[in-house]
Amino acid sequence: MPLSFSFAEPINLQKCRILFATCFWSKIHASREYLLRVAFRDFFPSIRPDDLFAVIDGERNANRLTLSNEDKEFLTAALFARNGQMLPGLPIGAPSSPLVSNGVMLNLDFLIDNYAKACDFLYTRYADDLVFSTDHKNTSKSFLVGLRKIIAETENPRLELNEQKTLYMSRNCRRAVTGLIIGPDGSLSIGRKRKRYIRKLLQDYRNEKLSEKEVHHLQGHLAFILDVEPDFFSRLCLKYGAEDVNRALKQRGDIASEV
């Protein structure tokens, strides 16, 4: 099954899950020599009501549901928005949009995943961000030609790639996958910007300046770096004190109550 998802983020717990999911996806590609990263243009707005109807009421759906015109009007009004467009599309930022897009993308994800496997590539998708990896040199450009063909021939949804965001990467350059940096040796790093942010959160935590929500946010990041970059976690313990860092990590009772 293709590893491809979009996520809604209504609470901090889901943000923690997203962090660990991005870590999992990055680890999948870490051992490969070459990465190809592409992105869809206007991903959410390009997904139309007819794309959703094709999933629910489509002939390929063994559990298809017959939608009346009234049903279609309701779903269109509830889940889609025009945002200045001629045709309604999924609104960016709506909590329902990632869920709808995952359903609409299921068939295309399988097509892309099967094509990737046939070419000895690994495939993951996070919303509009597609990442492929391989150990075969000088194959990414020809692979991209076939990928474009699959996307162009897919009627639901009608998508196109943003060619300006296409990146070819190898172990000799900085490789970024879903916000994580893959080193030449396959190691993962959260990056300098996120490290500065976590240091600030920890300093504010020690000075009791964080709200309960911000404490939960810090807990998620600490658990994340403990898994992704444990050496950085150790350095935080040395700088801010192991007792304070571990207290921040383990103060998780309120998070469980949010489930």
Side-chain angles (χ1 to χ4, degrees):
M1 182 171 180
L3 297 169
S4 45
F5 298 96
S6 303
F7 283 95
E9 302 183 10
I11 59 173
N12 282 323
L13 180 61
Q14 283 185 303
K15 291 182 180 180
C16 294
R17 289 171 179 163
I18 291 171
L19 289 175
F20 283 101
T22 58
C23 173
F24 175 69
W25 287 323
S26 297
K27 286 181 177 179
I28 288 174
H29 297 291
S31 63
R32 294 294 185 106
E33 291 287 337
Y34 306 99
L35 292 180
L36 168 65
R37 184 174 178 178
V38 299
F40 289 121
R41 185 189 306 277
D42 298 327
F43 177 62
F44 286 118
S46 295
I47 296 178
R48 313 294 187 185
D50 285 345
D51 298 327
L52 177 60
F53 304 155
V55 174
I56 298 174
D57 196 10
E59 294 181 358
R60 296 180 181 179
N61 185 358
N63 301 310
R64 61 183 299 191
L65 298 174
T66 301
L67 296 175
S68 66
N69 289 334
E70 189 176 65
D71 293 330
K72 292 180 179 180
E73 289 176 1
F74 172 79
L75 289 172
T76 299
L79 301 174
F80 296 85
R82 292 190 182 276
N83 293 327
Q85 303 177 114
M86 292 295 293
L87 296 173
L90 289 178
I92 298 173
S96 56
S97 292
L99 301 176
V100 175
S101 70
N102 285 338
V104 168
M105 285 292 295
L106 188 60
N107 182 60
L108 180 56
D109 279 328
F110 271 107
L111 291 175
I112 295 175
D113 189 56
N114 288 336
Y115 170 64
K117 288 177 179 176
C119 299
D120 200 17
F121 277 73
L122 293 177
Y123 165 54
T124 59
R125 178 180 64 82
Y126 175 73
D128 64 340
D129 190 12
L130 290 69
V131 178
F132 303 89
S133 62
T134 184
D135 285 324
H136 301 294
K137 190 176 182 179
N138 298 327
T139 57
S140 293
K141 289 187 177 180
S142 59
F143 176 84
L144 183 55
V145 173
L147 177 64
R148 289 194 191 101
K149 187 173 184 291
I150 291 172
I151 295 171
E153 292 177 350
T154 300
E155 294 185 2
N156 299 105
R158 280 289 187 187
L159 298 172
E160 62 180 28
L161 296 180
N162 185 342
E163 301 293 347
Q164 294 181 344
K165 291 188 176 182
T166 299
L167 294 173
Y168 300 95
M169 296 173 280
S170 71
R171 287 185 183 272
N172 297 325
C173 68
R174 182 178 181 272
R175 297 181 295 168
V177 177
T178 56
L180 292 179
I181 310 301
I182 302 177
D185 60 351
S187 62
L188 298 179
S189 173
I190 63 173
R192 294 179 181 177
K193 184 177 180 181
R194 189 176 287 173
K195 287 179 180 179
R196 287 196 297 269
Y197 177 62
I198 293 173
R199 290 190 189 101
K200 181 182 183 305
L201 285 177
L202 264 176
Q203 186 63 45
D204 289 344
Y205 174 77
R206 296 180 72 196
N207 294 327
E208 299 183 350
K209 293 182 178 180
L210 295 184
S211 66
E212 182 177 319
K213 183 178 180 180
E214 289 170 329
V215 171
H216 294 169
H217 192 56
L218 172 60
Q219 289 166 351
H221 277 290
L222 290 175
F224 181 56
I225 62 174
L226 188 58
D227 181 56
V228 176
E229 200 172 351
D231 287 347
F232 177 58
F233 185 88
S234 298
R235 292 198 298 274
L236 289 176
C237 290
L238 288 173
K239 181 174 182 178
Y240 297 100
E243 182 178 349
D244 284 345
V245 174
N246 283 292
R247 180 163 54 89
L249 175 65
K250 296 176 181 179
Q251 189 177 333
R252 305 180 66 83
D254 292 335
I255 288 183
S257 67
E258 291 185 6
V259 177

